[in-house]
Amino acid sequence: MAGRRALKAVLIDLSGTLHIEDSAVPGAQDALKRLRQAAVAVKFVTNTTKESKRNLLERLQRLNFDVQEKEIFTSLSAARSLLEQKQLRPLLLVEDSALEDFTGFNTSEPNAVVIGLAPDHFNYQTLNNAFSCCDPVVFLFEHRCAMILDGAPLIAIHKARYYKRKDGLALGPGPFVTGLEFATDCKATVVGKPEKTFFTQALSDLGCSPGEAVMIGDDARDDVGGAQDAGMLGILVRTGKYRQGDENKISPPPHLTCDSFPDAVDHILQNLL
């Protein structure tokens, strides 16, 4: 902690760190209550793109987590901000349950492709539509869309390799984004973790710098590595998608690797405040 300012904020990953689908990590609710009693701000940051912020909040509240909607910052929020800034009309390759976070956008004659984790839409026809430059309905009316091959930007909500479900590990959007990058010879703009801008946006309304914050997550690269590259401390938990040896895949290594979120909170309360 030499040279670091006093801790002011804790960023917390959700899926794999606080819960796995509809099951909470043991002890996580009580640990969050203990953390809230300390003089630090708390924010929940997630790359989850399968559901809207509203649905995510309802899931957390059903699991008895003390969370408010304004405390949740998602990669969908970051994607929306970029689309608004660039005034783009997106072709949205996301799950239907996430579409409400893009309410208000003009999606006719799209000029950008936005891709998240969308298992129900990751099939040959959908990805080929994004690749080959035409929305099939629009094509019938001879209005060609400027998609990736014609120069439209490819925006990846995130590029996670895999994530944890109750039945085991499952592919994230990263392999599908990489496939489109390879096929179109273009590079996607990534807006979620581990991008530095994602972490700085998450901290922007908390009144603190990265040097005054710590990130807790189960993904060594996206959660911990991204946070540390942004100037934060990173704590890796051995729940969710964690695999043995993940802490050795990033440099510098995590500030701490511990068994679960309650252990991370114990460390913060005992050593960082």
Side-chain angles (χ1 to χ4, degrees):
M1 285 295 289
R4 292 188 64 87
R5 303 181 197 176
L7 188 69
K8 290 185 178 180
V10 180
L11 302 189
I12 305 168
D13 174 54
L14 291 175
S15 178
T17 300
L18 289 188
H19 71 99
I20 297 171
E21 295 185 342
D22 289 322
S23 298
V25 168
Q29 298 98 326
D30 288 340
L32 179 58
K33 291 177 182 177
R34 289 190 286 113
L35 183 61
R36 286 196 181 280
Q37 294 172 357
V40 292
V42 173
K43 198 156 195 177
F44 305 92
V45 292
T46 177
N47 271 349
T48 297
T49 63
K50 294 188 300 177
E51 55 190 346
S52 67
K53 182 187 291 189
R54 179 181 59 82
N55 290 339
L56 180 58
L57 176 64
E58 290 174 354
R59 179 195 295 266
L60 293 169
Q61 291 177 340
R62 286 196 302 270
L63 294 174
N64 295 317
F65 283 106
D66 177 18
V67 178
Q68 300 179 43
E69 184 173 358
K70 66 181 180 180
E71 295 176 315
I72 301 175
F73 183 69
T74 74
S75 51
L76 294 175
S77 305
R80 183 181 181 98
S81 295
L82 180 63
L83 291 171
E84 290 173 338
Q85 176 188 346
K86 301 291 186 181
Q87 297 184 329
L88 296 171
R89 302 183 305 275
L91 171 64
L92 296 167
L93 300 184
V94 299
E95 287 289 79
D96 293 344
S97 57
L99 288 175
E100 70 177 66
D101 281 1
F102 295 95
T103 299
F105 277 103
N106 177 9
T107 56
S108 63
E109 299 191 16
N111 59 4
V113 174
V114 177
I115 182 168
L117 180 59
D120 291 341
H121 300 297
F122 281 167
N123 55 61
Y124 181 85
Q125 186 61 53
T126 302
L127 293 175
N128 195 55
N129 289 340
F131 163 76
S132 64
C133 86
C134 289
D135 177 278
V137 176
V138 175
F139 178 74
L140 292 175
F141 294 92
E142 299 181 355
H143 293 297
R144 295 181 64 81
C145 304
M147 294 284 92
I148 304 170
L149 280 178
D150 290 340
L154 174 61
I155 299 170
I157 299 179
H158 64 95
K159 288 182 71 176
R161 294 166 170 82
Y162 51 85
Y163 68 104
K164 176 70 172 179
R165 301 190 311 200
K166 287 188 292 186
D167 60 351
L169 297 178
L171 284 177
F176 302 93
V177 175
T178 300
L180 284 174
E181 288 179 321
F182 176 77
T184 59
D185 196 24
C186 80
K187 190 72 174 174
T189 297
V190 182
V191 296
K193 296 179 288 185
E195 296 303 301
K196 181 178 180 179
T197 52
F198 178 88
F199 292 101
T200 55
Q201 279 185 276
L203 291 173
S204 62
D205 64 344
L206 298 182
C208 71
S209 68
E212 300 168 313
V214 62
M215 172 75 203
I216 306 172
D218 67 319
D219 189 312
R221 293 185 180 94
D222 290 357
D223 292 332
V224 177
Q228 294 189 155
D229 287 345
M232 303 169 58
L233 292 178
I235 297 178
L236 179 65
V237 293
R238 298 188 187 97
T239 53
K241 67 163 55 175
Y242 172 84
R243 310 292 285 175
Q244 185 174 355
D246 278 357
E247 58 268 40
N248 301 318
K249 295 178 180 178
I250 61 173
S251 181
H255 166 73
L256 173 73
T257 301
C258 59
D259 284 342
S260 66
F261 178 71
D263 298 306
V265 170
D266 287 342
H267 176 80
I268 290 171
L269 296 178
Q270 295 169 15
N271 299 283
L272 300 183
L273 295 177

